[in-house]
Amino acid sequence: MTLRNRPLETIERTRTETTAVVTGGARGFGKAFGTALADEGATVVLIDVDESAVQKAAADIRASGGSAIGVVGDVADETAMAAIMAEASAVNGGIDVLINNAGLHSDEYSKPIGELGLPKTRRLFEVNVVGVIACTVAAHPHMAHRDGASIVNIASAAAHLGGTAYGTSKLAVAGLTITFARELGADGIRVNAISPGMIFTDTIRAELPDEVKARVKAMQLIDIDGAESDVVEAMLFLTSGRARFITGETLRVTGGMAAGT
Ligand SMILES: NC(=O)c1ccc[n+]([C@@H]2O[C@H](COP(=O)([O-])OP(=O)(O)OC[C@H]3O[C@@H](n4cnc5c(N)ncnc54)[C@H](O)[C@@H]3O)[C@@H](O)[C@H]2O)c1
């Protein structure tokens, strides 16, 4: 079943007059999140460093009847993020949903920090960690006291397994989820995270070596391939009123690969 064809009764509320900002929105999870939120009626603002791809992603959403804007920007650039969040806020008088999804995650970053080296580790943390901080801080004033305001950070199963530069950056994302849930709760903003396991996005299919795919799959407790829709469903739940009493949590969507860690 495609997301577009989800039965209406599974859609808990329409998101008309809702603005959702999705970082890393040009492809993969980000585009899928944007499409799903637009399907529920939200105006979606996609942010990405890849200008042509983010414009195409927004155009694809509009072509299927959704409302979407593509904006070029680096999540680690706090000045740019402040300006983009202010623009996004102007559409419906605030921001309701922020998905901190942009991240560097090629196989290269799954090395120990000593092997990756400081310049690449610094950039990894700038995007994966400082990017979450910059976007959250920039969006906060536009989300405060909006009914149902919610942030979802995209961490990773690697956060719970340890031993790599990438996993460490994602453990910081899980930590920031608790920190921001504490800081923003008084303003009515819920903050949660999703830790996806191995999900077959185009990037993972093309770039992850076959032996790594096989090794990770063997760690799952159930023998199915993770799909983008598995993570999208978790995001739709966490940003909906059905999750109104949930904040500061990291939900693992991993086929059990990170169970018990
Ligand atoms: N695919 C998986 O199996 C998997 C598993 C666990 C976690 N994740 C996480 O999910 C998120 C999305 O993964 P994906 O597979 O869709 O990735 P992807 O590589 O397909 O897409 C990521 C997008 O982020 C953009 N981006 C990168 N740096 C940016 C920056 N500084 N500012 C703005 N945009 C930037 C890229 O241009 C790209 O369009 C990432 O944070 C990743 O770490 C993915």
Side-chain angles (χ1 to χ4, degrees), residues 196-228:
M198 185 170 60
I199 307 289
F200 283 85
T201 55
D202 291 344
T203 306
I204 289 292
R205 225 176 258 117
E207 290 182 9
L208 201 65
D210 285 344
E211 67 273 17
V212 178
K213 285 184 191 136
R215 181 160 44 79
V216 174
K217 185 88 183 281
M219 293 162 69
Q220 292 180 193
L221 304 182
I222 47 179
D223 185 23
I224 53 176
D225 287 343
E228 268 172 17

Side-chain angles (χ1 to χ4, degrees), residues 5 11 18 52 63 66 77 129 153 177 181:
N5 294 332
I11 298 176
T18 291
S52 57
D77 178 344
V129 182
N153 300 324
T177 301

Side-chain angles (χ1 to χ4, degrees), residues 27 29 48 73-75 101 105 154-155 166 170 196-197 199 203-204:
R27 59 177 62 76
F29 291 167
D48 206 288
D74 181 335
V75 290
N101 163 78
H105 68 111
I154 305 303
Y166 172 72
K170 291 299 191 176
I199 307 289
T203 306
I204 289 292

Side-chain angles (χ1 to χ4, degrees), residues 22-33 47-51 53-54 71-77 81 100-106 123-124 126-128 131-132 135 153-158 166 169-170 173 194-205 207-208 226 228 231 253-254:
V22 181
T23 71
R27 59 177 62 76
F29 291 167
K31 185 176 178 187
F33 292 149
I47 304 174
D48 206 288
V49 280
D50 186 337
E51 182 162 18
V54 79
V71 188
V72 65
D74 181 335
V75 290
D77 178 344
M81 289 308 110
N100 283 313
N101 163 78
L104 297 176
H105 68 111
S106 70
R123 181 62 187 155
L124 176 72
E126 232 171 58
V127 176
N128 290 11
V132 172
C135 290
N153 300 324
I154 305 303
S156 169
Y166 172 72
S169 75
K170 291 299 191 176
V173 172
I194 298 170
S195 277
M198 185 170 60
I199 307 289
F200 283 85
T201 55
D202 291 344
T203 306
I204 289 292
R205 225 176 258 117
E207 290 182 9
L208 201 65
E228 268 172 17
V231 182
V253 181
T254 66

